[in-house]
Amino acid sequence: MKRLLTFLSLVVCVLVLHAQQLRNPVIPGYHPDPSVCRVGSDFYLVNSSFQYFPGVPVFHSKDLVNWEQIGNVLDRESQLPLNGATSWLGIYAPTIRYNEGTYYMITTNVGNGGNFMVTATNPAGPWSEPVWLEQQGIDPSLYFEDGKTYMVSNPDNTIMLCEIDPVTGRQLTESRALWRGTGGRYPEGPHLYKKDGYYYLLISEGGTELAHKLTIARSRDIYGPYEANPANPILTNCSMAGQGMQIQGTGHGDLVQAADGSWWMVFLAYRNFGGSYHHIGRETCLAPVEWQQDQWPVVNGGNPIDTLMSVMTLPAVPMRKPASRTLFNNKLGPEWVYIQNPIAENYQMKEGRLRLRANGWLADNKRPTFVGRRQESAVFTAETEVEVPQGNGICGLTVYQINDGFIHFYVSEGGIAVGGKLKSVELDMEKFQWYLDDPVPQTVRLRITSDGRQYQFLYALPGQEFELLDTIDCALLSTEVVGGFTGVTIGMTAEAMDSDADCYGVFSYFDYQEH
């Protein structure tokens, strides 16, 4: 009996410890600028999407740790024009809020219209057509109180507030300055909350690199003046305590209170691999918040954020994950994205295959033919089977960061090759070397794997095992080398080497497995 009790005690301890292990990021891969709201026992979260279509992914959770993507807010071209958008442009920092039966998403389309909001009665959609707004500045947010709708954003590096009509978007009051932050560059990402009679204004400062941080101020009056927290910043890994963490760039967050009264913060951060490089993108992380009455909020006990933290989380509720294999028998899942607005006729599913028609070059950034999904793990395998295109074209897999930074793994009538475009101060590589000169058979399997430091490119001819063709450092596709505000996506591409060529790529399946 004594041994049995000892064993049961150990089991209980293990279960308790497991319940306290929080792994960050909670939404891995390129999912920056998270915003969250709670409705009953359900949490809904949105992220920036920049040049990708559809835009603003929507996630659902019951515990803030396990998330399922339930759709995309902007799934029609009328909602999301992306003419000429790169990962420096497009959809910046959305905010999601709920008020009296309606969900609101407000954001900025940089380069194609400015600030707007859309509404829905179901966060999975459909969402309305855009309502365009007068007050500019990126990262707009909404606050509802006593029948009034307030909007904050950051024109001229100042957090500004105005009242708007939530139906028409018409600005009802002049824009008034609230706060310029603590002196860090780029005061942005404002969110307003009310607690214990104070209006709290949470913002990001320092830019979205190493110096990123979250600061907060408060006032008894929504229009101010706002008093800065003497303990600012309330979150940053740019510190003596945080400088050794794999997670860096912590900032741009949103606060939410769970049904049990506990407070939490979602925020972005990135993970370094192979030194001070990050290629997967800015990801969504989570931390507990202690917020006592009349006091300032304290994030994670004032400690930096790590990939594994001992935290008593909410009761776990697992969520569905996308299937590892995609078969082209029906509509693609919400995790699949295109670069800019896709030309519909260039993407056809027929008899279980995906047929891609080339539209110029990926580097030209003019609605190229590409469909992919985010790389969400440093260690993964992606695979497809593709028919060798006839004529003057190429098709295959692409590891894509930005139109100036991507790697193709492709087939053509001339062989199998790894090529691409990498631009930085040190690099300007239009193409890598061709590897095989012999004509290839009708179909080829292509596989890309990664251990977090290198991408490996392997191919298999019919009836044969996979052979390694090339290996390329992941850092060459990092934000530090090729730039951009997003992260790596991996997908299928068709390109025409001649602008007049009618080139198709035909794909049998797409596998994506994390290890």
Side-chain angles (χ1 to χ4, degrees), residues 280-456:
I280 296 178
R282 298 170 299 159
E283 307 171 288
T284 293
C285 294
L286 177 72
V289 177
E290 183 182 359
W291 202 349
Q292 297 181 1
Q293 184 171 350
D294 296 327
Q295 301 299 309
W296 297 98
V298 178
V299 182
N300 196 38
N303 299 311
I305 305 301
D306 207 348
T307 51
L308 182 63
M309 304 191 304
S310 294
V311 173
M312 181 58 76
T313 58
L314 299 175
V317 181
M319 290 288 175
R320 291 178 299 177
K321 300 296 183 183
S324 59
R325 170 161 287 201
T326 298
L327 297 174
F328 305 116
N329 297 315
N330 208 333
K331 182 180 178 181
L332 294 175
E335 70 275 14
W336 287 89
V337 292
Y338 307 85
I339 298 170
Q340 302 171 355
N341 303 110
I343 301 172
E345 57 266 29
N346 290 348
Y347 304 84
Q348 297 179 357
M349 291 187 192
K350 188 176 181 180
E351 299 177 350
R353 297 198 212 174
L354 177 63
R355 190 171 187 257
L356 300 183
R357 183 179 186 273
N359 184 50
W361 287 98
L362 200 61
D364 293 338
N365 204 44
K366 296 178 180 179
R367 303 174 77 179
T369 300
F370 169 93
V371 59
R373 52 172 295 169
R374 293 161 174 85
Q375 180 184 338
E376 297 181 353
S377 173
V379 184
F380 76 93
T381 298
E383 182 185 314
T384 192
E385 182 181 70
V386 60
E387 291 185 7
V388 178
Q390 304 300 306
N392 204 13
I394 63 175
C395 60
L397 295 176
T398 299
V399 184
Y400 183 90
Q401 177 72 256
I402 188 173
N403 63 301
D404 278 338
F406 59 86
I407 299 171
H408 279 326
F409 185 25
Y410 55 89
V411 298
S412 72
E413 287 186 329
I416 305 170
V418 175
K421 188 173 185 181
L422 298 172
K423 276 193 175 181
S424 72
V425 175
E426 298 85 8
L427 299 172
D428 188 354
M429 301 172 65
E430 293 295 331
K431 247 181 199 176
F432 299 114
Q433 177 183 356
W434 286 83
Y435 285 85
L436 296 181
D437 294 324
D438 296 333
V440 295
Q442 184 178 0
T443 62
V444 177
R445 284 183 294 158
L446 302 177
R447 176 183 288 177
I448 301 174
T449 66
S450 177
D451 60 3
R453 291 176 178 267
Q454 292 183 320
Y455 290 109
Q456 297 89 35

Side-chain angles (χ1 to χ4, degrees), residues 17-187:
L17 287 172
H18 179 72
Q20 291 179 323
Q21 297 301 306
L22 170 60
R23 290 187 178 276
N24 275 313
V26 291
I27 305 180
Y30 142 58
H31 292 102
D33 306 319
S35 174
V36 65
C37 70
R38 178 177 67 87
V39 181
S41 61
D42 297 286
F43 299 93
Y44 299 100
L45 182 147
V46 294
N47 297 107
S48 301
S49 52
F50 294 90
Q51 81 272 36
Y52 287 101
F53 183 94
V56 187
V58 187
F59 291 87
H60 170 237
S61 177
K62 291 282 190 178
D63 60 12
L64 291 169
V65 174
N66 298 285
W67 295 89
E68 176 187 3
Q69 188 175 352
I70 58 174
N72 293 277
V73 173
L74 307 173
D75 59 6
R76 305 186 297 277
E77 189 168 352
S78 58
Q79 297 171 308
L80 182 57
L82 289 171
N83 183 41
T86 70
S87 66
W88 301 107
L89 301 173
I91 296 297
Y92 277 44
T95 294
I96 187 170
R97 293 292 183 258
Y98 177 81
N99 185 57
E100 297 181 351
T102 300
Y103 293 87
Y104 295 79
M105 191 284 297
I106 183 171
T107 188
T108 311
N109 188 339
V110 177
N112 282 282
N115 288 334
F116 69 95
M117 66 180 179
V118 292
T119 59
T121 55
N122 184 337
W127 290 76
S128 71
E129 290 298 302
V131 174
W132 297 95
L133 304 166
E134 297 175 46
Q135 181 172 291
Q136 293 304 299
I138 61 170
D139 306 352
S141 182
L142 295 172
Y143 174 76
F144 299 92
E145 185 178 41
D146 297 334
K148 295 183 177 181
T149 303
Y150 297 93
M151 170 188 170
V152 285
S153 60
N154 77 330
D156 301 320
N157 284 319
T158 303
I159 308 303
M160 305 285 282
L161 172 75
C162 68
E163 185 184 342
I164 65 171
D165 185 314
V167 176
T168 67
R170 184 169 65 90
Q171 187 165 327
L172 303 178
T173 64
E174 65 175 332
S175 299
R176 295 176 59 174
L178 300 186
W179 195 37
R180 294 181 63 89
T182 62
R185 66 175 186 160
Y186 306 138

Side-chain angles (χ1 to χ4, degrees), residues 218-233:
R218 69 182 183 183
S219 172
R220 293 287 188 183
D221 189 314
I222 195 170
Y223 287 104
Y226 280 81
E227 166 202 7
N229 180 2
N232 276 327

